[in-house]
Amino acid sequence: SGTSKLQIQLTDNPYNATEVNVEILQVKVNFRGDSTGWIDLETKDSIYNLLDLQNGVTTPLAQGNVPADTLKEIRFILGDSNSIKIGDEVFPMKVPSGSESGLKIKLNKKLNATLESLVIDFDAALSVIKTGNDKYVLKPVLKIK
């Protein structure tokens, strides 16, 4: 029992674009594994260029004191300012349900009663889908490293 200080960090794998910008508004965690019990972490809400977070580079995203228990789920709530820049052109990216239900990562990680740090790999190469006519959709592939 007790509490754990949980830190969530963000990183990315290489991708062939100039920028892949994702607006992250809120990070939430859940220890129950159902629709109740969400805890909002103190989130650095901002637009993150995922391509700045490659080759081992991470950035602090959210933190908070949470139960020293088994973490079941992490949820990212995204804003509408998501874009991809290829060369000098910037294209908006739609994120299906990113601002409503958010992006979810299921896990089953027992947190220690000290500092826990999780690195989330937001894989731009697998997440960005060109749908034609210079339209892009972000279907995020998120992995815990």
Side-chain angles (χ1 to χ4, degrees), residues 47-95:
I47 296 173
Y48 295 87
N49 177 6
L50 298 178
L51 303 186
D52 287 341
L53 305 172
Q54 297 179 340
N55 302 316
V57 175
T58 63
T59 190
L61 180 61
Q63 67 180 8
N65 291 318
V66 297
D69 202 350
T70 302
L71 179 59
K72 302 284 188 183
E73 195 170 7
I74 300 172
R75 180 179 288 180
F76 291 83
I77 305 298
L78 301 185
D80 294 326
S81 297
N82 305 294
S83 64
I84 183 168
K85 183 176 181 183
I86 299 175
D88 292 331
E89 286 191 80
V90 176
F91 305 96
M93 279 192 305
K94 297 215 33 107
V95 183

Side-chain angles (χ1 to χ4, degrees), residues 9-140:
Q9 297 185 48
L10 194 61
T11 191
D12 181 38
N13 282 330
Y15 181 65
N16 190 20
T18 308
E19 294 177 8
V20 176
N21 298 303
V22 177
E23 183 180 26
I24 300 176
L25 301 177
Q26 183 66 54
V27 178
K28 302 173 179 243
V29 293
N30 191 319
F31 291 85
R32 294 188 183 154
D34 59 23
S35 63
T36 64
W38 285 100
I39 299 170
D40 289 352
L41 296 180
E42 182 183 323
T43 304
K44 185 178 156 195
D45 64 327
S46 187
I47 296 173
Y48 295 87
N49 177 6
L50 298 178
L51 303 186
D52 287 341
L53 305 172
Q54 297 179 340
N55 302 316
V57 175
T58 63
T59 190
L61 180 61
Q63 67 180 8
N65 291 318
V66 297
D69 202 350
T70 302
L71 179 59
K72 302 284 188 183
E73 195 170 7
I74 300 172
R75 180 179 288 180
F76 291 83
I77 305 298
L78 301 185
D80 294 326
S81 297
N82 305 294
S83 64
I84 183 168
K85 183 176 181 183
I86 299 175
D88 292 331
E89 286 191 80
V90 176
F91 305 96
M93 279 192 305
K94 297 215 33 107
V95 183
S97 73
S99 59
E100 292 93 37
S101 64
L103 314 173
K104 297 174 216 159
I105 303 172
K106 300 268 189 192
L107 66 157
N108 195 26
K109 170 128 175 87
K110 175 73 174 143
L111 300 183
N112 298 317
T114 58
L115 174 66
E116 278 286 348
S117 184
L118 297 176
V119 177
I120 308 293
D121 180 2
F122 200 122
D123 194 328
L126 296 175
S127 300
V128 176
I129 298 167
K130 185 174 181 179
T131 61
N133 297 333
D134 293 327
K135 295 200 186 293
Y136 292 86
V137 174
L138 186 67
K139 292 191 177 181

